[in-house]
Amino acid sequence: MSAAPPRAWQRMLSGRRLDLLDPSPLDIELADIAHGLARVARWNGQTAGEHVFSVAQHSLLVEAVGRHLRPGCTRGEGLELLIHDAPEYVIGDIISPLKGAIGDAYRGVERRLLAAIRRRFGLPAPDPAFARLVKRADRIAAHVEAVRLAGFSESEAARYFGRAEPLPEAVLALAEPWPTAAAQARYLDRFTTLAAA
């Protein structure tokens, strides 16, 4: 008789019990994602200002950068930009050097969670070209955050995230820490708006 597969249950505030190793789309709730991402700090919390800069805010910035790079994004593309870091609502924002050291032990959990989130909201996996655009928008957003919030010089940010790209002031204005409740509400509102489009 084979042993039961390992489980890693996380009880969510919605009352759902999410297995991080084998996540079911039925156990994923938008309210849990928005709540969690608004409380996960980017840059390990090492950012200027009274409030942390959360993954929810980073996600909104990436979506705005992606729309700048590709005007006329579809509903699904906008949602893909917004949820690209959604697994971090339960596994946290792990810095890239640690992700590299952990390797597939982390990436596998992240991939399975993102796949379940996509299924929950009826989103297909992005085609390779759009996946590259998401990564580019993510790097551009990280560059902005690094310089504006995390104390990097332009040259340091360029070394890690590529050179700066010109962005509209309305996009740059998103790189400012907000109170947790505001980050949660704005993420939830943006997701709801895109999903209804």
Side-chain angles (χ1 to χ4, degrees), residues 50-159:
E50 181 181 354
H51 306 287
V52 301
F53 187 78
S54 69
V55 175
Q57 292 183 251
H58 167 74
S59 300
L60 290 162
L61 178 57
V62 169
E63 193 247 335
V65 171
R67 286 187 176 280
H68 172 71
L69 297 174
R70 181 184 284 190
C73 278
T74 66
R75 164 196 171 276
E77 289 170 342
L79 286 169
E80 180 66 31
L81 286 158
L82 194 62
I83 67 162
H84 79 285
D85 275 343
E88 293 177 12
Y89 82 105
V90 283
I91 57 178
D93 181 41
I94 298 179
I95 61 172
S96 295
L98 184 55
K99 287 182 184 179
I102 295 171
D104 284 340
Y106 173 87
R107 291 191 191 95
V109 171
E110 187 178 46
R111 282 193 298 265
R112 287 189 294 273
L113 277 166
L114 188 53
I117 291 165
R118 286 186 180 121
R119 289 196 303 274
R120 170 66 177 83
F121 299 111
L123 297 172
D127 64 61
F130 194 75
R132 288 192 294 272
L133 182 130
V134 173
K135 287 185 181 298
R136 183 181 171 206
D138 193 28
R139 285 194 304 272
I140 293 170
H143 187 288
V144 171
E145 295 163 14
V147 172
R148 289 195 165 213
L149 302 171
F152 284 56
S153 68
E154 282 286 353
S155 61
E156 288 173 326
R159 183 161 61 250

Side-chain angles (χ1 to χ4, degrees), residues 163-182:
R163 61 183 177 79
E165 298 202 26
L167 294 169
E169 189 53 44
V171 174
L172 293 172
L174 294 172
E176 177 183 332
W178 306 327
T180 300

